[in-house]
Amino acid sequence: MIGLTIAAMIMEPKGKESFYVPVSTEAFFKRCWEPGIKALELELISLFPDPGVDLDKKHLPKLLNELHLLKDWAETGRHLNENDSEHLINRISILQEKMHEAFLDENVIIFIG
């Protein structure tokens, strides 16, 4: 069985470059992201797998704050094994960086799901 992937993408890119950032497989999301999301009661990130979420620039501060909280949870707790923790932290770091880049365009809408 092939796992589905959760990713961030701009549905209608205005420039020539497409924007696609893999976030997590669904299995890894359930195993590693969801426990932190539930423990921290995160709202936006909880929508990633189902139904997905459209984000614009006004959502960026809340999204980055939730990603920061989840990253801290993965770094400081003993919630995950070392490999899962490192992978989660890496994926969050990449997503944080790419969100900053994408939202340099004030009008962009990013779907994560």
Side-chain angles (χ1 to χ4, degrees), residues 19 94-105 108:
F19 179 88
I94 291 168
L95 188 57
Q96 289 171 317
E97 177 185 328
K98 296 298 184 181
M99 291 297 99
H100 277 295
E101 291 173 17
F103 284 117
L104 290 174
D105 178 347
V108 77

Side-chain angles (χ1 to χ4, degrees), residues 28-92:
F28 186 80
F29 195 91
K30 284 186 186 306
R31 188 174 78 244
C32 299
W33 290 69
E34 282 186 3
I37 291 166
K38 288 177 182 171
L40 300 168
E41 299 180 354
L42 303 178
E43 294 175 41
L44 286 178
I45 298 175
S46 72
L47 300 173
F48 286 7
D50 188 26
V53 62
D54 287 323
L55 302 169
D56 60 27
K57 180 106 181 195
K58 75 176 186 259
H59 296 106
L60 184 61
K62 182 176 178 93
L63 175 63
L64 292 176
N65 182 59
E66 287 191 8
L67 290 170
H68 175 76
L69 292 170
L70 186 59
K71 192 175 182 182
D72 281 352
W73 175 87
E75 288 174 337
T76 59
R78 293 187 176 92
H79 314 287
L80 306 171
N81 70 45
E82 188 175 342
N83 288 340
D84 283 349
S85 179
E86 285 178 16
H87 185 67
L88 177 57
I89 291 164
N90 181 53
R91 297 313 312 163
I92 292 171

